[in-house]
Amino acid sequence: MNMRGDLARDLAEIVGERHVRVDDGALAAHARDATPLFEATPQAVVYPGSTAEVAEILRYATANRVPVVPRGGGSNLCAAAVPLRGGIVMVLTRLNRILEISREELLARVQPGVTTATLAAAAAEQGLLYAPDPGSHTVSTIGGNIATCAGGLRGLKYGVTRNYVLGLEAVLPTGEIIRTGGRLWKDVAGYDLTRLLTGSEGTLAVITEATVALLPKPKESGTGVAYFASLADASRAVTAVIAAGIVPATLEFLDHKCIAAVEEFAKLGLRLDAGALLLFGDDGEADAIARNLDRIGAICTEIGALEVTLAEDVARADALLAARRCSLPALSRLGPLTVLEDVTVPRHRLAEMVDRIDEIADRYELRIATFGHAGDGNLHPTCVLDPHDHAAIERCHKAFAEIFSAAIALDGTITGEHGVGAAKLPYLEERLGTDQVALLGRIKRAFDPAGILNPGKLGS
Amino acid sequence: MIDRSASDARPDAASGTGRPAPASAGIFDPGLLDRCISCGFCLPVCPTYRLTGQETSSPRGRITLMRALESGRLADGDPTLAEEASFCLGCRACETVCPAGVRYGELLEQWRDHQWRGRRRPLLARLLMAVVSRPALLGLQRLVRRYATGKAGRRAVPGGADRPASLMLGCVERGLYPEVSRAVLELRPELAVPGGQGCCGALHAHNGDSAAGRELARKLGERLDGTIVTTAGGCAAHLAHHLGRDRVAELSEYLERTGYRPAGEVRVNGRRARVALQDSCHLRNALGVTRPPRELIAAVADYVELPNAGDCCGAAGTYSLLRPADSRAVLRPKLEAIEAADVDYVVALNPGCLRQLRQGLRRARSRAKAIHLAELLVMAARAANRSTPR
């Protein structure tokens, strides 16, 4: 039987021929997301144009036992959008309308394919802020952000995606359309399915609309930079800043390898002789920002910062933040294969975690650069590799297994914001325990009895 | 992290293309192809991805296709490969937002070298390449007779450029817009205009014959002494790549470097003209030149920045001829922005863009006119001369 031909014909009946691809090129292009080393070829790619079409595709898939993997911008870093068991990749970027922005209610209603930056810009035009801002915000979609509970650079003060999702429209794998939550800040009617779907990585339902909370846009913002001799020193400064009762919007750090890579790309005049750079920033009223940045600067100096400077203007501050965002791609200039993780530990244990990562990297003779959201205890140790050096890739695998164990031992977790996907599934049980993993499986089966939605990932 | 089960999953995902072969076909420079980390930062700036919303017509998707071709995962005659190699405008906007430093323009040249080798090159592209290889067909001789000095840099350049400079006549300009070169010589009469100029080879490099493109660039470099001054951003980028950045100056760069002070002002209906700019993709994306043309325009008119000034206009060399429908679709948002900006002129820095904008504006019955930067500056200078009697 020509299965590909059947699939193409059946899907075309639902969405129209233009919106189905089964050519080898399209299948190859959807065999991976932004996660290196993971690849699996689907049998069809479909671009639905409405919730009803999503529902019909899912009913078809359940009836025919065909896997479906939802996909947004494909900037995922845990292989959550890789079609491990083949089947249909369902791309939701055609659903890209902002349906409503309400200044009175401080909320937006959007389709899942709107990019994070597009929503943020539309909100900003109305004097509002969509707070979550993952590093990939120009390409990542709101649907993808919710499915992975994306974090970003403002997590410390503003929280992450889950703190902003008020309600969802989602389609169950069996085709029913449900609406969870809504336009309410208070709503305890039933299990909190909005939160359950947030971070469910496309394994429980397909999100087709989201109602998200907005904030009044802060009037001003300010940014500063402190250089330290080591990442451990920078970590101590972070702990001291928060212990002093300051919760700034941004506390990001880069180690010396990241500083060099970012400088090479962005040419900002960063100091290359420092062991670590701490980027700190706040927003709100001008005098409060100035006071907070001065206090943070003073604390950094006390901890032994080599140098503290405040960005003189908005353009400079934006440039510094943009530089931090591009840490990962900039690192790839050092070696074309970058394996990036995102272990997270309680903030006061950051220095310990950083020491552990360095020790493990040395022992396995790997080049691991670390940057991350210091204020959230969220680290991005990134191993830079030659894709043809299989022995080093194998060592990298073992090193990260140790890094995950180290994070768990420090009361941390294996992933702070990227998700589990296929990449961290083997380590999930170590983090959650057998009973909880079994419960995830039962939840998965309640939503998806045929097991068609993103199989081989969470709950499978 | 690395999951061995991922590869186990492939056989049941019966794509019919099989596993990636470990061997490489040698079509691409592997160092260039390895660079992409699939982060997707390029997607929002890609004009063809904006048109279709489909991964295969994004830079990231196309690099995945190139990799599949290189590894043998996709067959040589694969229709998606053929379509996407042709659908790409080659504007290189993706390079400006790529933090991993992927040199997409070079990859595209290598791809088309393979994809369009021999008779598989579009017929129209083959014809054009043949025509520009014969300067006599381009009406070059007339222009050269009028202006050629035969030797470069005999007269001192005001502003203290201490090296000779030659004006490159360009194959499209000399055929379609000889007035652009004349305008340049009115602004900078000291420029040498050597005869016997061939094509710079950009056309060949962008149409699957990078060897000829390189060779033509080399020959032109021998023909033209000193700094090669060009009125075409695309030619500037191609020549800079092969002859070195310091051998080449696009007109606005050259004028700035030699201290040209724009005279006069361009007026329309008794007021200062409102003038917008269309960046030349390769000038902006490959050579990073954006400021000098804006400053020159602002000196003689009210400069209006279009929100999409840096986006490709769809001309893209031979693209507007090879794929007219797609070319017009890429142009559409540009025309809308020009109408919304209510400008009198749109300045182009490349003859292809000039042609594309003129046709588009005419079809849209716009009151805005497209002209080359040199023409705008000459218009202003002539107005200055009229108002100051000698």
Side-chain angles (χ1 to χ4, degrees), chain A residues 160-343:
Chain A
V160 297
T161 301
R162 81 160 65 83
N163 304 104
Y164 295 86
V165 185
L166 295 172
L168 295 172
E169 178 191 83
V171 184
L172 300 180
T174 38
E176 302 94 323
I177 299 164
I178 59 167
R179 295 193 77 99
T180 72
R183 310 170 75 98
L184 307 164
W185 263 254
K186 288 183 170 178
D187 182 0
V188 292
Y191 294 139
D192 190 345
L193 296 180
T194 309
R195 279 230 170 174
L196 178 59
L197 293 181
T198 305
S200 63
E201 301 183 2
T203 62
L204 300 181
V206 176
I207 295 162
T208 48
E209 188 189 306
T211 306
V212 296
L214 304 174
L215 298 170
K217 192 169 156 48
K219 285 201 188 75
E220 312 269 348
S221 63
T223 301
V225 176
Y227 291 96
F228 292 88
S230 71
L231 204 51
D233 279 357
S235 307
R236 276 184 277 279
V238 168
T239 309
V241 165
I242 292 168
I246 310 169
V247 183
T250 301
L251 268 181
E252 298 287 317
F253 62 7
L254 283 77
D255 72 2
H256 64 278
K257 296 174 205 136
C258 296
I259 298 171
V262 166
E263 179 60 23
E264 168 74 20
F265 168 59
K267 310 261 186 306
L268 290 163
L270 302 179
R271 192 167 154 171
L272 297 173
D273 63 341
L277 177 159
L278 183 67
L279 185 67
F280 53 92
D282 204 5
D283 54 17
E285 302 287 336
D287 53 342
I289 295 170
R291 206 166 48 239
N292 275 347
L293 294 190
D294 281 347
R295 284 175 69 202
I296 295 171
I299 291 167
C300 289
T301 306
E302 244 168 69
I303 299 286
L306 307 173
E307 181 189 330
V308 179
T309 49
L310 300 185
E312 59 273 19
D313 54 36
V314 175
R316 174 74 185 170
D318 283 351
L320 287 168
L321 285 168
R324 159 59 192 84
R325 277 182 204 284
C326 73
S327 300
L328 167 65
L331 275 174
S332 76
R333 294 180 170 227
L334 305 177
L337 175 59
T338 49
V339 179
L340 163 84
E341 283 308 339
D342 85 316
V343 287

Side-chain angles (χ1 to χ4, degrees), chain B residues 208-220:
Chain B
D209 191 356
S210 64
R214 192 165 46 241
E215 181 56 19
L216 286 165
R218 194 189 57 76
K219 276 193 192 149
L220 192 62

Side-chain angles (χ1 to χ4, degrees), chain B residues 306-309 331-343:
Chain B
L306 297 176
N308 51 8
L331 176 64
R332 198 164 301 128
K334 179 79 64 185
L335 295 178
E336 284 163 12
I338 290 169
E339 283 315 290
D342 189 30
V343 293

